[in-house]
Amino acid sequence: MHSAEFTKYASNAMLATRISFMNELSRVAERVGVDIEMVRQGIGSDPRIGLHFLYAGAGYGGSCCPKDVKALARSATDAGCPLQLLGAVEAVNERQKLVLVDKIVQRFGDDLGGKTIALWGLAFRPNTDDRARSLCGRAKFRSFV
C-alpha cells in the first residue's frame, strides 16, 4: 500500500468517525433533553475540531467512505494491528440507519401498509443528490421495515 492510498483511507475513516460520534451523541442528547445542535455548535467552536462533518443524521454513506473504512480496517487487520475503533464506527453507522425507521414506526405504528412517507435529506452529504450507499430508496427503506 502506498502512503497516498493509506492517507485517503485514513481521511475517510476520520470523517466517518466524526459522523458516527455525533450520531451517538445525538441519541444520548435526545434521551436527556439536550439540544444536539447547540452541542454541535459548542464542539465545533473549538478550532481543533471545527464544524465540518459534525452533523448527526442517518449515518455516513457515499461511494468512498464506507468502502475506505472497510479497506483500512482490513489492511490493519492483515498487518496484525486491528483497528477496534473502526469496527465501532461501522457498527454505529449500521445501527444509525435503523434510528430513522424506529422513529417512523414509533410515530405511525408497526403497520405502515398503505402509508406514503416522504423523506428529505437522506443523501450522504448536504448539497448533493448522490444517494450512493445511503438509506434512501424505496427498496432499501422497505427492507428496514
Side-chain angles (χ1 to χ4, degrees), residues 30-93:
E30 186 174 33
R31 293 262 177 103
V32 299
V34 170
D35 183 343
I36 193 61
E37 178 57 20
M38 291 180 71
V39 173
R40 186 186 80 79
Q41 291 288 331
I43 293 170
S45 69
D46 184 327
R48 298 169 299 168
I49 298 170
L51 288 168
H52 297 294
F53 291 88
L54 205 57
Y55 293 94
Y60 62 84
S63 59
C64 291
C65 208
K67 168 183 62 72
D68 289 352
V69 169
K70 286 183 185 317
L72 182 58
R74 185 176 45 255
S75 295
T77 298
D78 291 349
C81 300
L83 296 172
Q84 295 175 358
L85 179 61
L86 291 187
V89 166
E90 288 183 296
V92 167
N93 195 56

